Amino acid sequence: MANPSLYDMNLSDLEALLRAWGQPAFRTRQIYRQLYLNLAADPAAMTDLPQALRERLAHESTLNPLHLVRSQVSADGLTRKALFALPDGVQIETVLMIYADRATVCVSTQAGCAMGCSFCATATLDLRRNLTAGEMVAQVLWASREVRNLASQPASTTNPGRSSAEDATWWGESHALRRPLERVSNLVFMGMGEPFANYDRWWEAVQRLHDPLGFNMGARSMTVSTVGLVPGILRLADAGLPINLAISLHAPDDALRNELVPINTRYPIKEILAAAHTYVEKTGRRVSFEYVLIQGRNDHPHQALALAKLLRHESLICHVNLIPWNPLPGSPLARSDLQRVRAFQQVLVDYGLACTVRVERGVEIAAACGQLAGGGNCSHLG
């Protein structure tokens, strides 16, 4: 029988385990603080615990289910991708992105994906399995340790291509943290897999990370992206936490979307927009629509106009995030050039829609949107 995973336990679960071990109740809070506040990566680091308890935790529980296989760093040192092996050998990828005022981790919720989107590397893997809540939580805690380590080291150490003389400038510019961070500040469930196809475990991870007694991340700092699984959108609308919702749309009509996002045959655009209305009405929050631009497929001006009319007709409180398609080896698809991207954006803006072009990060290390493949050189955008 496998050792219990500490990251898969909420406070009550952990208390029950320690009670079975004959430990006093206050040890539960101590361990919880070590896991989520001190970011302890090893029971040996939990020095406020008795030696015997630390040893038992090491031998009879699993703290970190992730084994780091490989890490890659972008040329500017601000995007980091980790390839992890899970206990059963399947692999996933996680991405950490450093900005001027925040650090964002992109988390995988499945190993592989069953959605079959034609432009996405993860779709080529098919679905291997759902991740546990603890495996999702562990990705966030890995990223938090990375941020803590980065904040404590000079840039010349974290990015060997930068000289020590450039450190002060690097840390003071917009491309570095303007203020020290002890952990990640933002979380996006946009890595490998479809979160709402693993809703229950995904929600357990959200609760664990949101727990004020634990990691205590605000719900407004979390974003979940879906290809449009309507039941999941409706569940989130009733969930009671103001988590940001992003819907991967990628086409203004069902005919094209059926080709790009096959799940559209089950949940067509009309049903997705109806669910989005419910989310906005119940939460008071706007919804984001992600739109990957593929040269000659979905980036024509008439398609921009159709999208603008569709969203304006719906009168949704929304934002459109345009994402130039990121290259995948061997794919026949092509990336929209900047002129076409800007022209598409202008049509939406002229119709009064809030619209931005996503800032690209980590393309050269295959860490950008649509490129995660769990060990291949190619995330799900939903």
Side-chain angles (χ1 to χ4, degrees), residues 304-327:
L305 183 60
L307 178 63
K309 289 181 176 180
L310 174 69
L311 297 181
R312 286 292 290 172
H313 174 74
E314 291 293 328
S315 300
L316 268 171
I317 303 174
C318 68
H319 170 267
V320 179
N321 195 349
L322 299 178
I323 309 167
W325 179 76
N326 290 306

PDB file of all heavy atoms in Angstrom, residues 304-327:
ATOM      1  N   ALA A 304     -13.032  38.158 -37.649  1.00  0.00           N
ATOM      2  CA  ALA A 304     -12.983  39.106 -36.532  1.00  0.00           C
ATOM      3  C   ALA A 304     -14.309  39.828 -36.396  1.00  0.00           C
ATOM      4  O   ALA A 304     -14.825  40.020 -35.281  1.00  0.00           O
ATOM      5  CB  ALA A 304     -11.851  40.112 -36.760  1.00  0.00           C
ATOM      6  N   LEU A 305     -14.883  40.213 -37.521  1.00  0.00           N
ATOM      7  CA  LEU A 305     -16.179  40.899 -37.494  1.00  0.00           C
ATOM      8  C   LEU A 305     -17.273  39.973 -36.961  1.00  0.00           C
ATOM      9  O   LEU A 305     -18.120  40.392 -36.154  1.00  0.00           O
ATOM     10  CB  LEU A 305     -16.531  41.377 -38.902  1.00  0.00           C
ATOM     11  CG  LEU A 305     -17.834  42.176 -39.050  1.00  0.00           C
ATOM     12  CD1 LEU A 305     -17.783  43.445 -38.204  1.00  0.00           C
ATOM     13  CD2 LEU A 305     -18.091  42.531 -40.515  1.00  0.00           C
ATOM     14  N   ALA A 306     -17.245  38.718 -37.379  1.00  0.00           N
ATOM     15  CA  ALA A 306     -18.245  37.758 -36.888  1.00  0.00           C
ATOM     16  C   ALA A 306     -18.105  37.545 -35.386  1.00  0.00           C
ATOM     17  O   ALA A 306     -19.114  37.464 -34.660  1.00  0.00           O
ATOM     18  CB  ALA A 306     -18.091  36.431 -37.632  1.00  0.00           C
ATOM     19  N   LEU A 307     -16.873  37.467 -34.902  1.00  0.00           N
ATOM     20  CA  LEU A 307     -16.651  37.309 -33.465  1.00  0.00           C
ATOM     21  C   LEU A 307     -17.143  38.535 -32.709  1.00  0.00           C
ATOM     22  O   LEU A 307     -17.795  38.422 -31.657  1.00  0.00           O
ATOM     23  CB  LEU A 307     -15.157  37.079 -33.187  1.00  0.00           C
ATOM     24  CG  LEU A 307     -14.754  36.941 -31.725  1.00  0.00           C
ATOM     25  CD1 LEU A 307     -15.401  35.714 -31.091  1.00  0.00           C
ATOM     26  CD2 LEU A 307     -13.238  36.869 -31.585  1.00  0.00           C
ATOM     27  N   ALA A 308     -16.827  39.725 -33.241  1.00  0.00           N
ATOM     28  CA  ALA A 308     -17.249  40.976 -32.590  1.00  0.00           C
ATOM     29  C   ALA A 308     -18.773  41.043 -32.502  1.00  0.00           C
ATOM     30  O   ALA A 308     -19.335  41.378 -31.450  1.00  0.00           O
ATOM     31  CB  ALA A 308     -16.692  42.164 -33.358  1.00  0.00           C
ATOM     32  N   LYS A 309     -19.445  40.725 -33.587  1.00  0.00           N
ATOM     33  CA  LYS A 309     -20.914  40.777 -33.591  1.00  0.00           C
ATOM     34  C   LYS A 309     -21.505  39.742 -32.637  1.00  0.00           C
ATOM     35  O   LYS A 309     -22.491  40.004 -31.942  1.00  0.00           O
ATOM     36  CB  LYS A 309     -21.433  40.550 -35.004  1.00  0.00           C
ATOM     37  CG  LYS A 309     -21.162  41.712 -35.954  1.00  0.00           C
ATOM     38  CD  LYS A 309     -21.731  41.428 -37.342  1.00  0.00           C
ATOM     39  CE  LYS A 309     -21.534  42.631 -38.266  1.00  0.00           C
ATOM     40  NZ  LYS A 309     -22.075  42.370 -39.634  1.00  0.00           N
ATOM     41  N   LEU A 310     -20.887  38.557 -32.602  1.00  0.00           N
ATOM     42  CA  LEU A 310     -21.363  37.505 -31.710  1.00  0.00           C
ATOM     43  C   LEU A 310     -21.316  37.952 -30.257  1.00  0.00           C
ATOM     44  O   LEU A 310     -22.301  37.830 -29.516  1.00  0.00           O
ATOM     45  CB  LEU A 310     -20.516  36.252 -31.901  1.00  0.00           C
ATOM     46  CG  LEU A 310     -20.784  35.079 -30.945  1.00  0.00           C
ATOM     47  CD1 LEU A 310     -22.148  34.469 -31.232  1.00  0.00           C
ATOM     48  CD2 LEU A 310     -19.689  34.024 -31.076  1.00  0.00           C
ATOM     49  N   LEU A 311     -20.180  38.481 -29.831  1.00  0.00           N
ATOM     50  CA  LEU A 311     -20.013  38.851 -28.427  1.00  0.00           C
ATOM     51  C   LEU A 311     -20.786  40.115 -28.081  1.00  0.00           C
ATOM     52  O   LEU A 311     -21.314  40.238 -26.970  1.00  0.00           O
ATOM     53  CB  LEU A 311     -18.528  39.011 -28.104  1.00  0.00           C
ATOM     54  CG  LEU A 311     -17.693  37.727 -28.249  1.00  0.00           C
ATOM     55  CD1 LEU A 311     -16.238  37.989 -27.876  1.00  0.00           C
ATOM     56  CD2 LEU A 311     -18.262  36.592 -27.393  1.00  0.00           C
ATOM     57  N   ARG A 312     -20.880  41.036 -29.004  1.00  0.00           N
ATOM     58  CA  ARG A 312     -21.662  42.250 -28.746  1.00  0.00           C
ATOM     59  C   ARG A 312     -23.150  41.907 -28.634  1.00  0.00           C
ATOM     60  O   ARG A 312     -23.860  42.446 -27.796  1.00  0.00           O
ATOM     61  CB  ARG A 312     -21.443  43.268 -29.863  1.00  0.00           C
ATOM     62  CG  ARG A 312     -20.089  43.959 -29.829  1.00  0.00           C
ATOM     63  CD  ARG A 312     -19.940  44.884 -28.641  1.00  0.00           C
ATOM     64  NE  ARG A 312     -20.795  46.062 -28.772  1.00  0.00           N
ATOM     65  CZ  ARG A 312     -20.986  46.965 -27.817  1.00  0.00           C
ATOM     66  NH1 ARG A 312     -20.414  46.802 -26.637  1.00  0.00           N
ATOM     67  NH2 ARG A 312     -21.751  48.017 -28.012  1.00  0.00           N
ATOM     68  N   HIS A 313     -23.606  40.986 -29.486  1.00  0.00           N
ATOM     69  CA  HIS A 313     -25.008  40.575 -29.446  1.00  0.00           C
ATOM     70  C   HIS A 313     -25.348  39.929 -28.114  1.00  0.00           C
ATOM     71  O   HIS A 313     -26.453  40.090 -27.591  1.00  0.00           O
ATOM     72  CB  HIS A 313     -25.301  39.600 -30.593  1.00  0.00           C
ATOM     73  CG  HIS A 313     -26.684  39.024 -30.553  1.00  0.00           C
ATOM     74  ND1 HIS A 313     -27.817  39.762 -30.891  1.00  0.00           N
ATOM     75  CD2 HIS A 313     -27.142  37.778 -30.212  1.00  0.00           C
ATOM     76  CE1 HIS A 313     -28.887  39.010 -30.752  1.00  0.00           C
ATOM     77  NE2 HIS A 313     -28.518  37.800 -30.349  1.00  0.00           N
ATOM     78  N   GLU A 314     -24.378  39.216 -27.552  1.00  0.00           N
ATOM     79  CA  GLU A 314     -24.607  38.532 -26.283  1.00  0.00           C
ATOM     80  C   GLU A 314     -24.602  39.488 -25.097  1.00  0.00           C
ATOM     81  O   GLU A 314     -25.066  39.147 -24.010  1.00  0.00           O
ATOM     82  CB  GLU A 314     -23.528  37.462 -26.070  1.00  0.00           C
ATOM     83  CG  GLU A 314     -23.623  36.280 -27.015  1.00  0.00           C
ATOM     84  CD  GLU A 314     -24.878  35.458 -26.766  1.00  0.00           C
ATOM     85  OE1 GLU A 314     -25.325  35.379 -25.614  1.00  0.00           O
ATOM     86  OE2 GLU A 314     -25.396  34.894 -27.742  1.00  0.00           O
ATOM     87  N   SER A 315     -24.033  40.688 -25.291  1.00  0.00           N
ATOM     88  CA  SER A 315     -23.962  41.710 -24.227  1.00  0.00           C
ATOM     89  C   SER A 315     -23.299  41.162 -22.965  1.00  0.00           C
ATOM     90  O   SER A 315     -23.720  41.464 -21.840  1.00  0.00           O
ATOM     91  CB  SER A 315     -25.367  42.241 -23.888  1.00  0.00           C
ATOM     92  OG  SER A 315     -25.962  42.813 -25.026  1.00  0.00           O
ATOM     93  N   LEU A 316     -22.279  40.357 -23.161  1.00  0.00           N
ATOM     94  CA  LEU A 316     -21.544  39.776 -22.039  1.00  0.00           C
ATOM     95  C   LEU A 316     -20.496  40.748 -21.519  1.00  0.00           C
ATOM     96  O   LEU A 316     -19.863  41.473 -22.296  1.00  0.00           O
ATOM     97  CB  LEU A 316     -20.825  38.505 -22.486  1.00  0.00           C
ATOM     98  CG  LEU A 316     -21.526  37.166 -22.322  1.00  0.00           C
ATOM     99  CD1 LEU A 316     -20.725  36.091 -23.040  1.00  0.00           C
ATOM    100  CD2 LEU A 316     -21.676  36.805 -20.856  1.00  0.00           C
ATOM    101  N   ILE A 317     -20.306  40.751 -20.199  1.00  0.00           N
ATOM    102  CA  ILE A 317     -19.149  41.443 -19.635  1.00  0.00           C
ATOM    103  C   ILE A 317     -17.954  40.541 -19.896  1.00  0.00           C
ATOM    104  O   ILE A 317     -17.790  39.500 -19.244  1.00  0.00           O
ATOM    105  CB  ILE A 317     -19.320  41.674 -18.120  1.00  0.00           C
ATOM    106  CG1 ILE A 317     -20.595  42.451 -17.834  1.00  0.00           C
ATOM    107  CG2 ILE A 317     -18.113  42.430 -17.559  1.00  0.00           C
ATOM    108  CD1 ILE A 317     -20.901  42.581 -16.349  1.00  0.00           C
ATOM    109  N   CYS A 318     -17.153  40.928 -20.875  1.00  0.00           N
ATOM    110  CA  CYS A 318     -16.095  40.005 -21.281  1.00  0.00           C
ATOM    111  C   CYS A 318     -14.857  40.736 -21.776  1.00  0.00           C
ATOM    112  O   CYS A 318     -14.859  41.955 -21.979  1.00  0.00           O
ATOM    113  CB  CYS A 318     -16.600  39.061 -22.371  1.00  0.00           C
ATOM    114  SG  CYS A 318     -16.949  39.853 -23.950  1.00  0.00           S
ATOM    115  N   HIS A 319     -13.820  39.965 -21.955  1.00  0.00           N
ATOM    116  CA  HIS A 319     -12.539  40.440 -22.464  1.00  0.00           C
ATOM    117  C   HIS A 319     -12.036  39.383 -23.435  1.00  0.00           C
ATOM    118  O   HIS A 319     -12.192  38.184 -23.191  1.00  0.00           O
ATOM    119  CB  HIS A 319     -11.557  40.624 -21.304  1.00  0.00           C
ATOM    120  CG  HIS A 319     -10.154  40.873 -21.725  1.00  0.00           C
ATOM    121  ND1 HIS A 319      -9.224  39.858 -21.879  1.00  0.00           N
ATOM    122  CD2 HIS A 319      -9.508  42.019 -22.053  1.00  0.00           C
ATOM    123  CE1 HIS A 319      -8.073  40.377 -22.254  1.00  0.00           C
ATOM    124  NE2 HIS A 319      -8.213  41.675 -22.373  1.00  0.00           N
ATOM    125  N   VAL A 320     -11.455  39.808 -24.541  1.00  0.00           N
ATOM    126  CA  VAL A 320     -10.919  38.880 -25.522  1.00  0.00           C
ATOM    127  C   VAL A 320      -9.396  38.926 -25.465  1.00  0.00           C
ATOM    128  O   VAL A 320      -8.792  40.005 -25.543  1.00  0.00           O
ATOM    129  CB  VAL A 320     -11.403  39.209 -26.949  1.00  0.00           C
ATOM    130  CG1 VAL A 320     -10.802  38.228 -27.952  1.00  0.00           C
ATOM    131  CG2 VAL A 320     -12.933  39.174 -27.017  1.00  0.00           C
ATOM    132  N   ASN A 321      -8.798  37.760 -25.306  1.00  0.00           N
ATOM    133  CA  ASN A 321      -7.347  37.639 -25.236  1.00  0.00           C
ATOM    134  C   ASN A 321      -6.881  36.935 -26.501  1.00  0.00           C
ATOM    135  O   ASN A 321      -7.100  35.732 -26.674  1.00  0.00           O
ATOM    136  CB  ASN A 321      -6.961  36.843 -23.990  1.00  0.00           C
ATOM    137  CG  ASN A 321      -5.498  36.981 -23.636  1.00  0.00           C
ATOM    138  OD1 ASN A 321      -4.710  37.504 -24.408  1.00  0.00           O
ATOM    139  ND2 ASN A 321      -5.135  36.500 -22.465  1.00  0.00           N
ATOM    140  N   LEU A 322      -6.239  37.677 -27.403  1.00  0.00           N
ATOM    141  CA  LEU A 322      -5.741  37.109 -28.650  1.00  0.00           C
ATOM    142  C   LEU A 322      -4.366  36.489 -28.419  1.00  0.00           C
ATOM    143  O   LEU A 322      -3.501  37.104 -27.790  1.00  0.00           O
ATOM    144  CB  LEU A 322      -5.656  38.187 -29.732  1.00  0.00           C
ATOM    145  CG  LEU A 322      -6.972  38.869 -30.103  1.00  0.00           C
ATOM    146  CD1 LEU A 322      -6.726  39.949 -31.147  1.00  0.00           C
ATOM    147  CD2 LEU A 322      -8.003  37.852 -30.603  1.00  0.00           C
ATOM    148  N   ILE A 323      -4.171  35.293 -28.959  1.00  0.00           N
ATOM    149  CA  ILE A 323      -2.928  34.549 -28.734  1.00  0.00           C
ATOM    150  C   ILE A 323      -2.387  34.073 -30.077  1.00  0.00           C
ATOM    151  O   ILE A 323      -2.930  33.116 -30.656  1.00  0.00           O
ATOM    152  CB  ILE A 323      -3.164  33.340 -27.806  1.00  0.00           C
ATOM    153  CG1 ILE A 323      -3.905  33.756 -26.529  1.00  0.00           C
ATOM    154  CG2 ILE A 323      -1.844  32.644 -27.474  1.00  0.00           C
ATOM    155  CD1 ILE A 323      -4.437  32.588 -25.720  1.00  0.00           C
ATOM    156  N   PRO A 324      -1.364  34.705 -30.606  1.00  0.00           N
ATOM    157  CA  PRO A 324      -0.761  34.170 -31.830  1.00  0.00           C
ATOM    158  C   PRO A 324      -0.311  32.730 -31.593  1.00  0.00           C
ATOM    159  O   PRO A 324       0.346  32.441 -30.598  1.00  0.00           O
ATOM    160  CB  PRO A 324       0.435  35.106 -32.077  1.00  0.00           C
ATOM    161  CG  PRO A 324       0.078  36.378 -31.363  1.00  0.00           C
ATOM    162  CD  PRO A 324      -0.696  35.938 -30.145  1.00  0.00           C
ATOM    163  N   TRP A 325      -0.696  31.842 -32.516  1.00  0.00           N
ATOM    164  CA  TRP A 325      -0.394  30.422 -32.354  1.00  0.00           C
ATOM    165  C   TRP A 325       1.111  30.198 -32.220  1.00  0.00           C
ATOM    166  O   TRP A 325       1.910  30.780 -32.972  1.00  0.00           O
ATOM    167  CB  TRP A 325      -0.925  29.644 -33.549  1.00  0.00           C
ATOM    168  CG  TRP A 325      -0.656  28.181 -33.505  1.00  0.00           C
ATOM    169  CD1 TRP A 325      -1.307  27.257 -32.748  1.00  0.00           C
ATOM    170  CD2 TRP A 325       0.334  27.467 -34.258  1.00  0.00           C
ATOM    171  NE1 TRP A 325      -0.782  25.999 -32.975  1.00  0.00           N
ATOM    172  CE2 TRP A 325       0.229  26.106 -33.899  1.00  0.00           C
ATOM    173  CE3 TRP A 325       1.301  27.840 -35.192  1.00  0.00           C
ATOM    174  CZ2 TRP A 325       1.042  25.115 -34.443  1.00  0.00           C
ATOM    175  CZ3 TRP A 325       2.120  26.863 -35.731  1.00  0.00           C
ATOM    176  CH2 TRP A 325       1.994  25.525 -35.358  1.00  0.00           C
ATOM    177  N   ASN A 326       1.480  29.376 -31.265  1.00  0.00           N
ATOM    178  CA  ASN A 326       2.886  29.065 -31.049  1.00  0.00           C
ATOM    179  C   ASN A 326       3.268  27.795 -31.791  1.00  0.00           C
ATOM    180  O   ASN A 326       2.511  26.819 -31.790  1.00  0.00           O
ATOM    181  CB  ASN A 326       3.166  28.911 -29.549  1.00  0.00           C
ATOM    182  CG  ASN A 326       3.077  30.245 -28.835  1.00  0.00           C
ATOM    183  OD1 ASN A 326       3.728  31.213 -29.216  1.00  0.00           O
ATOM    184  ND2 ASN A 326       2.236  30.316 -27.806  1.00  0.00           N
ATOM    185  N   PRO A 327       4.437  27.796 -32.407  1.00  0.00           N
ATOM    186  CA  PRO A 327       4.805  26.700 -33.305  1.00  0.00           C
ATOM    187  C   PRO A 327       4.970  25.358 -32.604  1.00  0.00           C
ATOM    188  O   PRO A 327       5.450  25.283 -31.477  1.00  0.00           O
ATOM    189  CB  PRO A 327       6.139  27.166 -33.897  1.00  0.00           C
ATOM    190  CG  PRO A 327       6.682  28.143 -32.894  1.00  0.00           C
ATOM    191  CD  PRO A 327       5.482  28.824 -32.315  1.00  0.00           C
TER     192      PRO A 327
END
